[in-house]
Amino acid sequence: MEPMKIYANQLRIHIINMLAAAGSGHPGGALSAADLLIYLYFKEMKIDSEDKDNPDRDRFILSKGHAAPVLYGTLAMKGFFNTSELTNLRKLGSFLQGHPDMLKVPGVEMSTGSLGQGFSASVGVALGGKIDEKSYRIYTLLGDGELQEGIVWEAAMAASHYKLDNLVAIIDHNGLQIDGTNDEVMKVNPLKEKWESFGWNVIEIDGHCFTDIEKSFKQAKEVKGKPTAIIAKTSKGKGVSFMENQVGWHGVAPSEAERAKAIEELEQNIR
């Protein structure tokens, strides 16, 4: 798992650099999801940047679209486009806008941003795969605050009804959202029991432990007749000491001094 840890730290460096260059964006929830996306793209998913339109490829949809930097950084590292493009994030004329655009960004499967809609689209893609008798799998990442959207639960009910065992929903459960803690804004717990009541197979993991991540995806493949929800306990702002578990870093870009400090910490982790 050591290469995965190195890749995840490099991804976090990309995230910090692109947000600092943009002067805006969402570092907290991008940093918390870095380990999950690195494992998906470099270990789990059947996907190839040289054959990006292969109809049998696995699909990933970032339902919490505001965390776009974690997806952009991963796609660049995977070879979908050059990493030099990353510092053009949110700039006029750049294809890397604040939310993913499937028509402009190589490797992006669905345009997302309105919370809950990316997950609903994932259910539709999974249902299409079943109808077409395809073997590809669909993975989608949701924020825990996103679960306050009613559309999420309508889609969850549909996924269970249609027995979409080719669908894996990953909940980035860092406990914080733009206005405070989940509990302060609108309680989402108990998550495990809620997803189970909607007919899902549920797995709880440490979202920063690659061994846990690996086991959860393996188990998801073994379950037949129902979709899987992986509740990944994470730390918002993971990897940067002054950002970790601080709600203020949900949607604020680092200054140059803060960027330098964050990069220094992350580079120490790589050594």
Side-chain angles (χ1 to χ4, degrees), residues 3 13 15 26 46 49 67 80 103 120 132 141 143 156 179 198 230:
I13 289 172
I15 290 168
H26 298 79
K46 181 177 61 179
S49 61
F80 282 89
L103 300 179
S120 297
D132 292 340
L141 182 74
D179 291 324
F198 276 76
I230 297 173

Side-chain angles (χ1 to χ4, degrees), residues 12-23:
R12 289 186 170 98
I13 289 172
H14 283 313
I15 290 168
I16 294 298
N17 281 331
M18 69 176 94
L19 286 166

Side-chain angles (χ1 to χ4, degrees), residues 11 15 39 50 113 135-136 161 167 170 210 224 231 263 268:
L11 174 55
I15 290 168
Y39 191 88
E50 297 297 319
S135 62
Y136 60 74
H161 176 78
L167 174 65
I170 308 151
F210 285 106
K224 304 302 177 186
I231 300 171
I263 296 301
Q268 286 177 350

Side-chain angles (χ1 to χ4, degrees), residues 137-158:
R137 297 178 64 75
I138 297 85
Y139 300 86
T140 181
L141 182 74
L142 301 91
D144 47 8
E146 184 174 5
L147 303 184
Q148 295 159 356
E149 298 282 355
I151 192 174
V152 167
W153 301 105
E154 181 181 356
M157 183 167 55

Side-chain angles (χ1 to χ4, degrees), residues 4 20 26 31 80 109 176 181 223 235 245:
M4 296 293 103
H26 298 79
L31 293 168
F80 282 89
E109 297 285 355
L176 300 174
T181 68
V223 172
S235 297
N245 299 311

Side-chain angles (χ1 to χ4, degrees), residues 6-12 14 38 42 71-83 86:
I6 294 172
Y7 292 166
N9 255 338
Q10 184 58 60
L11 174 55
R12 289 186 170 98
H14 283 313
I38 285 295
F42 287 89
L71 177 57
Y72 295 159
T74 304
L75 290 172
M77 290 173 67
K78 188 67 177 176
F80 282 89
F81 53 87
N82 199 294
T83 55
L86 293 175

